[in-house]
Amino acid sequence: ILRLNSMGMFLYSMNYYIVHSTATAFVQELGAQTANSASIIGATSFGALVAAFWQLCSMENELDSNGSSRLTIGYFRRVFILYSLFPVIGNIIHAIGVGKGSILIAVLGRFIVGLGSAELFHRQLLSSCLPAPHVVFESANLVHSQLFGTFCGLVIGGFLALFDVRFQVATISSLHSGSYFMACLWLFHLGSLLFKFKETDRVEVEGSHTKIENVTEQNKNNNTNFSDSGSSEGGSGTPDS
């Protein structure tokens, strides 16, 4: 589960940067202003803002009357599956837009890719379902995955921009091969979420098995038990005469 969580962060970061090498060349090929390439790149960030707003509203609805989180592993599984569909669709639309020479369709595809940003949920999974001693370590792993995705996106994007990919039935231009490549990776990740992300009660952390539990709910119960025990002790004690 934790590996799939980190993989989602890695893929999104990689997906964001993989078009940097071809956006300017695509716009110049159409004879448009070079500044339009910023729209293709930045549309993903705008989509991510929309996704973040929805995530905040969704998590707020999962709070009980005491302000405690009711998020479960099953909830995160459904959310990650949904958020993996957006990049698949968005990358395909972007590739079609590049193939048709339409900046508008390309921007739309990149916007849909941005809707697949689930960074808040990736981090919330750790704080909601892991014991406190493991949260900092796993949060650092998410940051490393994000940075590594940035590096891979720039390198692989630049490499794919060097040549066209030819098949017997079609030729994939270097300008949109990165989008098809990311769509395939997201499909593989989606399959992993469907078959490997199980609603289990255990998660492997640093080679050991730790129970997945709602930490907020556990802390609330501990505080309640402490208050009850304190009340019982106060009620049973009598002042010395």
Side-chain angles (χ1 to χ4, degrees), residues 119-140:
E119 182 174 351
L120 293 181
F121 283 126
H122 288 302
R123 299 185 184 279
Q124 187 64 34
L125 171 66
L126 302 182
S127 60
S128 297
C129 302
L130 281 182
H134 297 291
V135 172
V136 175
F137 176 78
E138 293 301 330
S139 296

Side-chain angles (χ1 to χ4, degrees), residues 141-153:
N141 283 341
L142 285 183
V143 175
H144 294 158
S145 299
Q146 194 171 24
L147 293 176
F148 187 58
T150 300
F151 171 77
C152 290

Side-chain angles (χ1 to χ4, degrees), residues 7-52:
M7 182 58 67
M9 287 281 287
F10 167 78
L11 287 178
Y12 179 79
S13 181
M14 180 179 175
N15 206 157
Y16 181 84
Y17 287 97
I18 200 169
V19 301
H20 280 52
S21 303
T22 57
T24 302
F26 166 61
V27 172
Q28 290 177 343
E29 187 178 273
L30 296 180
Q33 294 183 356
T34 307
N36 289 327
S37 61
S39 301
I40 298 176
I41 298 173
T44 306
S45 299
F46 183 69
L49 288 175
V50 176

